[in-house]
Each structure stands twice: as C-alpha cells, then as structure tokens.
C-alpha cells in the first residue's frame, strides 16, 4: 500500500498568535534602523578620511533601507549627508538637489533647526556654484526662519 503525501497550503496563523508576526516586524524594523545607523557611521569615517565617494555609497545604501522603513526624518538625514558629500567635492548641482530634497522632508517633519541648517547649506552651495542671487535668497530665508522660530520659542 502506497501512502500519498498531501501538500496543503499552510494554515493561517490564528489571530491569537498574530502578536508573533508583530514582534517579527518590530525586530526587522529595529535591525533595519541599526543597519542605517551603521551605514551613517561608516559614511562619516570615510568622509573624515577624505574618501567622499565611499561615503556617498554608504549613504545611498542607507537610503535603500530607509525606503523600506518609510521614515521621513531618516531619509532627510541621508539626503542631507549626500548633499554635504557632493558639496565637499564641489559637485554643487548634485549637492543642491540633495539639500533641496532634504529641506522638503525636514519641513514636512517639522524640524526647524534642520530646516535652518539646510537653508544655510543651500545658500553656501549656490554661492560656490556662482548663483549669487539664489544664494542670497536662501540666506535671507534662513535668517527669516531663524528669527521667526526664536520669537515663537520665546513666546
């Protein structure tokens, strides 16, 4: 007599055990966040050593992980890091693009200090790029933004 193996679809996990899936998802998220932080740290080491291309690659790798996490603030940080890298190697067009994207996300995330810092970097980037009026406009926005936030903070 021959036994037949029956392959059935895996049973759905009962709702009472769904906490296991939630814990697995939290663990994945934690691991992803730790990996992002490690890429940021590694990028900083490369940046300080002067290996800007390697720092760029580390930040781009971090962005692929961040996209899975859908974390606006982390993505803004990575974009800003890329802006600094391209600024350092005088690729102002690239730097401007990354800083502009970071500015948008920092604004969305309501990070006033990061918004002000990014406006300042956009001013510097455009100054060295030879776009003086745009640089002045960003510098003025940074001043207005700082003054507004200082007044709001004091109230």
């Amino acid at each position: 007599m021959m036994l037949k193996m029956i392959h059935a679809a895996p049973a759905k996990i009962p709702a009472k055990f769904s906490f296991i899936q939630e814990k697995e998802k939290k663990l994945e998220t934690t691991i992803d966040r730790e990996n992002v932080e490690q890429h940021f740290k590694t990028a900083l080491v490369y940046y300080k050593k002067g290996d800007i291309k390697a720092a760029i690659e580390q930040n781009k790798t971090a962005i692929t992980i961040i996209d899975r996490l859908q974390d606006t603030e982390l993505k803004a940080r990575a974009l800003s890091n890329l802006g600094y890298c391209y600024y350092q190697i005088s690729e102002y067009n690239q730097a401007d693009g990354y800083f502009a994207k970071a500015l948008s996300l920092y604004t969305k995330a309501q990070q006033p200090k990061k918004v002000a810092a990014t406006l300042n970097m956009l001013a510097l980037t455009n100054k060295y790029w030879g776009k003086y009026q745009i640089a002045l406009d960003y510098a003025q926005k940074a001043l207005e933004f700082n003054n507004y936030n200082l007044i709001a903070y004091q109230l």
Side-chain angles (χ1 to χ4, degrees):
M1 180 160 133
M2 195 160 108
L3 294 174
K4 263 187 168 178
M5 294 293 286
I6 299 174
H7 295 283
K12 246 186 160 179
I13 296 176
K16 66 181 181 180
F17 296 116
S18 65
F19 72 93
I20 294 171
Q21 289 173 325
E22 290 171 22
K23 287 196 178 280
E24 286 176 347
K25 181 70 176 158
K26 284 182 183 176
L27 180 60
E28 283 177 27
T29 300
T30 300
I31 291 169
D32 281 347
R33 287 184 187 286
E34 289 173 3
N35 285 338
V36 167
E37 289 299 327
Q38 190 57 50
H39 283 292
F40 284 161
K41 290 174 186 172
T42 304
L44 183 60
V45 170
Y46 281 127
Y47 184 89
K48 288 186 176 199
K49 284 179 56 179
D51 190 349
I52 306 303
K53 296 288 185 189
I56 288 169
E57 289 308 311
Q58 289 296 316
N59 281 294
K60 286 182 176 181
T61 301
I63 286 176
T64 62
I65 299 168
I66 293 166
D67 285 342
R68 282 197 310 265
L69 295 170
Q70 298 178 344
D71 186 310
T72 302
E73 291 179 49
L74 273 180
K75 183 140 187 188
R77 183 174 160 199
L79 292 168
S80 184
N81 290 350
L82 285 167
Y84 279 106
C85 288
Y86 283 107
Y87 174 85
Q88 187 68 29
I89 58 175
S90 303
E91 290 187 25
Y92 302 120
N93 185 31
Q94 292 276 49
D96 184 76
Y98 283 113
F99 283 133
K101 289 176 188 175
L103 177 64
S104 175
L105 293 178
Y106 281 137
T107 302
K108 183 178 174 183
Q110 298 180 348
Q111 295 286 321
K113 289 181 181 178
K114 300 286 186 176
V115 168
T118 306
L119 285 167
N120 281 322
M121 285 311 300
L122 281 162
L124 285 172
T125 298
N126 281 280
K127 173 190 157 200
Y128 287 111
W129 197 7
K131 297 185 173 191
Y132 301 113
Q133 187 56 55
I134 294 171
L136 286 170
D137 292 344
Y138 277 123
Q140 184 61 40
K141 284 180 188 176
L143 282 171
E144 290 169 5
F145 192 82
N146 280 331
N147 288 338
Y148 173 79
N149 282 299
L150 284 174
I151 291 167
Y153 180 74
Q154 290 173 352
L155 294 175

